[in-house]
Amino acid sequence: MYKTANGEEIFVIDAHIALWDGSKDNQLNIQGEQFIHCFYDYHKNLSPKEYLWPKEKFLKYDTETLVKDVLIKGYADMAIFQPVYLNEFYKNGFGDFDANEALSKQYPNRFICNGTMDPRHGNRGLEKLEELKEKYNWQGIKLYTADWYGDSKGYKLSDPWAEKYLEKCLQLEIKNIHVHKGPTVTPLNRDAFDVADIDHAASAFPELNFIVEHVGLPRLEDFCWIATQEKNVYGGLAVAIAFLQTRPRYFAEIISELLYWLDEDRILFGSDYAIWEPKWLIEKFVNFEIPQDILEETGVTFDMNVKKKILGENAARLYNIDIEAQKEKLNGCELAAHR
């Protein structure tokens, strides 16, 4: 829980975290090294100096570190795991469903564990998706459309097999489809993260929620034009929010465009932990004000009520969380005293 200077409480849901293994022992090839090194470059270039991690820690961190950074220091009342495969780069994959699930059981009511899928896996993958839904009760899926698979270096949500997988998600009541549509990560193909296929998928599956992670950067304008038409499209602020540190006016332009085109009910906070820690992101976001000239041009509102929606209320609505009831559940947990 974040408390403002006047004592107002903000319920925080960090809608984009990961527990990854980018260690040398897990790297399958040079691509695995390139990928995690690119992540570390984002970390170094956009983090405050006091939040910089040594490279070895960044490659693989333990669950105690995650809990401390996200739930104790980081103000998050809850957090959502968004794992990806990257099996062509890492021996055991980049994310670990079982490790995420174990942490959610160790700290009940604190974590939501999403999964992932790859339409290029065909019928075998559809069966696996059903099996994993039964095992983990996933409420959401994280997609990495630029992930490699054999000779393929990406896919689109408009592909026939992708439509079959989205139909299966609908049948399984996996309603929240988080899609990386943002900056590329070496060695992935930038164009495979193009946001255009969101338009097709959102129109074809109006019952699903498409959360476009990283708000389509560097294709913000394309994303906004799609999202203003497709009311089941949301914007995840991970990556974009990190510009609060180095490019505050750039962030002001991003958030004002999102508020102008989408409104405040379809924007979600995400730290992209462990690229960045939520503590400094939330502190800067709560205290941030959009410059007057931008406010006058866009006519948007960016008050504390809007910030509270972005920091937790919007994600709570997507994941059917009653915030007041959730507060009661969390008051007696073992982390409450540390916070």
Side-chain angles (χ1 to χ4, degrees), residues 237-254:
L237 281 181
V239 175
I241 198 170
F243 285 105
L244 276 168
Q245 169 65 17
T246 57
R247 299 281 306 281
R249 185 172 177 87
Y250 180 46
F251 176 74
E253 293 169 350
I254 292 171

Side-chain angles (χ1 to χ4, degrees), residues 44 90 94 111 177:
K44 289 191 302 180
Y90 297 99
F94 195 59
F111 295 104
I177 313 299

Side-chain angles (χ1 to χ4, degrees), residues 52-300:
L52 290 177
W53 288 15
K55 181 70 172 291
E56 287 305 312
K57 175 183 177 182
F58 190 84
L59 293 177
K60 184 179 182 180
Y61 46 96
D62 57 30
T63 56
E64 290 80 6
T65 298
L66 182 149
V67 169
K68 179 186 68 176
D69 291 342
V70 176
L71 299 180
I72 298 176
K73 289 168 42 184
Y75 306 114
D77 297 281
M78 300 181 68
I80 304 176
F81 284 111
Q82 306 287 3
V84 293
Y85 282 132
L86 296 176
N87 288 323
E88 300 288 332
F89 300 167
Y90 297 99
K91 299 171 185 175
N92 300 311
F94 195 59
D96 187 326
F97 305 150
D98 288 327
N100 297 348
E101 185 73 9
L103 203 57
S104 73
K105 290 179 178 177
Q106 184 179 353
Y107 299 98
N109 303 307
R110 291 291 185 182
F111 295 104
I112 294 172
C113 298
N114 282 351
T116 190
M117 64 185 188
D118 190 327
R120 295 167 296 184
H121 294 175
N123 286 319
R124 172 180 58 86
L126 287 173
E127 294 172 1
K128 189 68 175 178
L129 179 60
E130 194 164 347
E131 174 188 321
L132 294 174
K133 164 65 178 180
E134 178 69 23
K135 180 177 181 180
Y136 300 113
N137 193 28
W138 288 339
Q139 299 179 61
I141 288 288
K142 171 67 183 292
L143 299 181
Y144 229 56
T145 57
D147 198 358
W148 292 7
Y149 180 64
D151 294 332
S152 171
K153 294 190 177 182
Y155 64 91
K156 297 183 181 298
L157 297 183
S158 53
D159 294 343
W161 271 107
E163 291 191 335
K164 290 181 181 181
Y165 274 67
L166 292 174
E167 181 66 39
K168 176 62 73 172
C169 285
L170 190 57
Q171 293 172 7
L172 296 174
E173 298 187 343
I174 301 174
K175 294 291 186 69
N176 298 313
I177 313 299
H178 296 253
V179 193
H180 179 114
K181 294 292 186 181
T184 191
V185 185
T186 308
L188 301 177
N189 187 319
R190 174 183 178 273
D191 290 340
F193 283 136
D194 189 277
V195 74
D197 56 342
I198 292 292
D199 185 44
H200 175 90
S203 295
F205 297 94
E207 303 94 337
L208 297 177
N209 305 309
F210 291 88
I211 302 92
V212 175
E213 299 295 353
H214 325 305
V215 297
L217 293 177
R219 304 174 180 89
L220 179 66
E221 186 174 5
D222 288 350
F223 166 69
C224 286
W225 280 92
I226 292 169
T228 197
Q229 299 294 335
E230 307 292 348
K231 303 307 181 185
N232 57 334
V233 171
Y234 296 72
L237 281 181
V239 175
I241 198 170
F243 285 105
L244 276 168
Q245 169 65 17
T246 57
R247 299 281 306 281
R249 185 172 177 87
Y250 180 46
F251 176 74
E253 293 169 350
I254 292 171
I255 195 68
S256 61
E257 290 295 319
L258 293 172
L259 291 168
Y260 179 87
W261 292 98
L262 277 71
D263 73 46
E264 69 270 18
D265 294 325
R266 289 192 285 142
I267 306 170
L268 278 65
F269 166 70
S271 67
D272 219 346
Y273 185 86
I275 302 181
W276 299 286
E277 294 185 35
K279 177 178 170 59
W280 68 267
L281 293 169
I282 293 169
E283 290 174 347
K284 286 182 178 292
F285 182 77
V286 169
N287 294 303
F288 185 73
E289 300 295 337
I290 297 174
Q292 189 62 32
D293 63 314
I294 296 179
L295 287 176
E296 291 174 357
E297 178 183 339
T298 59
V300 301

